[in-house]
Amino acid sequence: MGIAARALEQRLNADNSDHVGAELPCPCGGAARYHGRHHKTFESVLGPLHLQRAYYHCEQCQGGFCPRDRALGLETFSLTPGVLRMTASAAALVSFEESSGLLHELAGVEVSTKQVERAGEALGAEIAVDEHQQAETMGEVAPTMYLGMDGTGVPMRAQEVAGRAGKQADGSAKTREAKIVTIWTAEARDAEGKAVRDPGSITYSAAIESAATLDTSPELSPFATRVLREANRRGFSEAARCVVLGDGSPWIWNTATELFPQATQILDRFHAKEHLSKAGKAIYGDSTEGKQWIQSRYDELDDGHLKSLAQALHDHARLYPEARECIHYIWNNRRRMQYPKFHQQSLCTSTGVVEAGCKVVIGTRLKRAGMHWTVKGANAIIALRCSKLSGRFEDFWERRSEHKHAAA
Ligand SMILES: [Zn+2]
């Protein structure tokens, strides 16, 4: 690779065709004058490339540029497009530090931790902008389409949460909530005829952004707009049956009702059971009796016996706020908990997809020990990760390359 790098270098450095006259227009409106050939080292997949390029300097703005850098797509942090792409792929999956180590070990490419961070976040920010503009549909519209929403806290740097209310003992916040929308299909059936998620059908879109708008505002919230974009790309509303799954958070059902009034709303059974288990542990502690009690409640939930479920909680409501909270939860969501009816219609009621989405997209990358994010940095890496995990990165990269090529 070293020999290939020297050959490429010699060939590029022998070619002076990037010297295109004494003056070139500068983006500032002034005129940039030819200022000789300038040297710079770029990191390529072949290792370092030492390139001499024609440099144009502008008196008016004191800026300068090399036409060749633009032509070859070398404008991002001294990295060639090949290395930039490798860097982004690594940064989507593991920490910036681990990315730097992996690039060195697997590809013999030297990209510092700081460079990985800057390049990963810059490309992630590009992807986030691209996602807003990308209306093209992808994948087949299945007879039944599922859409899940969820939220999870991302650990923030102190200045990003200053003055915000949160869950800490003193009322302060350490995290901001990333909200995620997941769309998938489940046309496959298992041996018992139950709907099973179709492999490869999941796409994600997520960001730290608000799901709330003023009642008087005709505008959708930023997150509702995100949900709508994703739904349009997947043809969610074109399906004969649309299903929205979520936990009990009001913003999820408000968003669902506002955007998809025709959709069947289902309370994710995974979350419902989490609530019951929390109540059971509060009442009985970690005992055998408690485990049996919780199992009986699970069975009532699965069988749709919400009345006896509520009654069992009611017996403890006077002493345990958790039991009272659970009764409210069941009452508020009762129409979304008709599991036997949903199962008769062959609908998924607890796929773990939504829960797993939060873990896969946000948790495993952004919630690791010692990580503290800015909103801007977190949203860039979330966008990068969603694009990778949803199989959209290739298309993005193609559009980017075409665009850069046309601009050059
Ligand atoms: Zn200028």
Side-chain angles (χ1 to χ4, degrees):
M1 290 208 288
I3 292 166
R6 296 296 80 73
L8 182 61
E9 212 170 73
Q10 274 172 24
R11 199 176 163 138
L12 283 169
N13 287 340
D15 177 357
N16 290 350
S17 62
D18 56 334
H19 179 193
V20 282
E23 264 185 21
L24 279 179
C26 177
C28 80
R33 293 195 63 79
Y34 178 64
H35 209 264
R37 301 192 74 74
H38 281 205
H39 172 268
K40 190 172 174 182
T41 302
F42 295 91
E43 194 64 20
S44 78
V45 292
L46 301 170
L49 288 180
H50 312 287
L51 301 183
Q52 310 278 350
R53 310 100 68 231
Y55 177 73
Y56 286 80
H57 182 78
C58 170
E59 277 296 323
Q60 192 173 305
C61 69
Q62 288 299 310
F65 56 89
C66 295
R68 177 157 291 165
D69 292 1
R70 214 177 283 173
L72 296 179
L74 297 174
E75 290 160 308
T76 321
F77 315 112
S78 317
L79 306 176
T80 62
V83 172
L84 178 61
R85 190 187 162 142
M86 279 158 54
T87 303
S89 289
L93 299 175
V94 293
S95 75
F96 301 129
E97 199 175 358
E98 288 167 316
S99 300
S100 175
L102 277 181
L103 289 166
H104 168 79
E105 192 176 331
L106 301 179
V109 165
E110 302 308 322
V111 187
S112 71
T113 302
K114 198 70 210 168
Q115 268 180 310
V116 174
E117 178 175 351
R118 286 201 197 131
E121 292 189 358
L123 209 64
E126 276 187 43
I127 290 173
V129 171
D130 180 73
E131 184 272 315
H132 275 74
Q133 296 158 351
Q134 209 46 44
E136 226 170 282
T137 54
M138 70 169 285
E140 298 280 302
V141 177
T144 308
M145 299 287 291
Y146 294 87
L147 184 149
M149 289 180 257
D150 206 352
T152 184
V154 175
M156 286 285 134
R157 289 191 193 163
Q159 74 266 24
E160 295 280 333
V161 284
R164 296 183 70 94
K167 291 176 186 164
Q168 299 300 304
D170 63 354
S172 69
K174 281 197 163 169
T175 61
R176 294 279 303 264
E177 188 179 49
K179 296 185 180 69
I180 179 168
V181 52
T182 309
I183 297 183
W184 72 96
T185 65
E187 295 303 310
R189 297 288 178 267
D190 68 8
E192 293 164 31
K194 278 191 190 148
V196 180
R197 173 172 62 80
D198 301 320
S201 70
I202 303 185
T203 56
Y204 307 99
S205 187
I208 298 172
E209 62 192 3
S210 173
T213 43
L214 296 171
D215 285 345
T216 49
S217 168
E219 307 266 315
L220 290 174
S221 71
F223 183 71
T225 322
R226 173 176 304 278
V227 173
L228 199 56
R229 285 197 304 273
E230 187 64 18
N232 288 339
R233 278 192 290 264
R234 297 296 307 270
F236 176 73
S237 295
E238 293 165 38
R241 295 197 301 181
C242 312
V243 181
V244 176
L245 277 124
D247 66 7
S249 304
W251 63 266
I252 291 176
W253 304 122
N254 291 342
T255 308
T257 307
E258 183 173 24
L259 298 179
F260 317 113
Q262 80 282 21
T264 304
Q265 297 183 356
I266 299 180
L267 182 82
D268 196 303
R269 215 147 37 95
F270 182 91
H271 279 108
K273 288 189 174 175
E274 244 179 12
H275 271 256
L276 291 173
S277 148
K278 207 174 121 194
K281 279 176 189 153
I283 298 165
Y284 292 99
D286 202 12
S287 65
T288 315
E289 197 192 359
K291 283 193 183 105
Q292 280 166 357
W293 186 88
I294 292 169
Q295 189 53 51
S296 306
R297 304 294 82 76
Y298 285 180
D299 294 343
E300 285 166 343
L301 184 78
D302 291 342
D303 297 339
H305 298 147
L306 298 185
K307 267 188 192 155
S308 51
L309 177 55
Q311 187 54 52
L313 285 159
H314 213 266
D315 295 343
H316 301 281
R318 206 168 52 82
L319 288 177
Y320 296 97
E322 291 85 355
R324 289 199 292 277
E325 188 271 335
C326 214
I327 293 171
H328 284 298
Y329 181 78
I330 292 168
W331 175 255
N332 288 334
N333 288 294
R334 63 196 182 282
R335 282 191 203 89
R336 306 183 183 107
M337 296 169 87
Q338 304 172 57
Y339 298 120
K341 182 182 134 194
F342 297 144
H343 288 152
Q344 258 174 17
Q345 300 170 352
S346 297
L347 295 175
C348 276
T349 59
S350 175
T351 57
V353 173
V354 182
E355 179 71 11
C358 261
K359 285 206 178 88
V360 168
V361 175
I362 315 287
T364 51
R365 176 65 184 87
L366 286 103
K367 292 169 80 160
R368 290 173 51 188
M371 283 189 177
H372 299 285
W373 297 87
T374 61
V375 171
K376 195 165 158 256
N379 276 344
I381 297 303
I382 291 171
L384 179 60
R385 222 172 140 72
C386 285
S387 156
K388 273 267 166 196
L389 294 169
S390 307
R392 290 170 176 164
F393 185 78
E394 295 293 317
D395 286 346
F396 159 76
W397 191 259
E398 213 165 278
R399 279 194 294 280
R400 183 183 193 270
S401 306
E402 269 166 26
H403 180 77
K404 296 264 171 199
H405 197 77

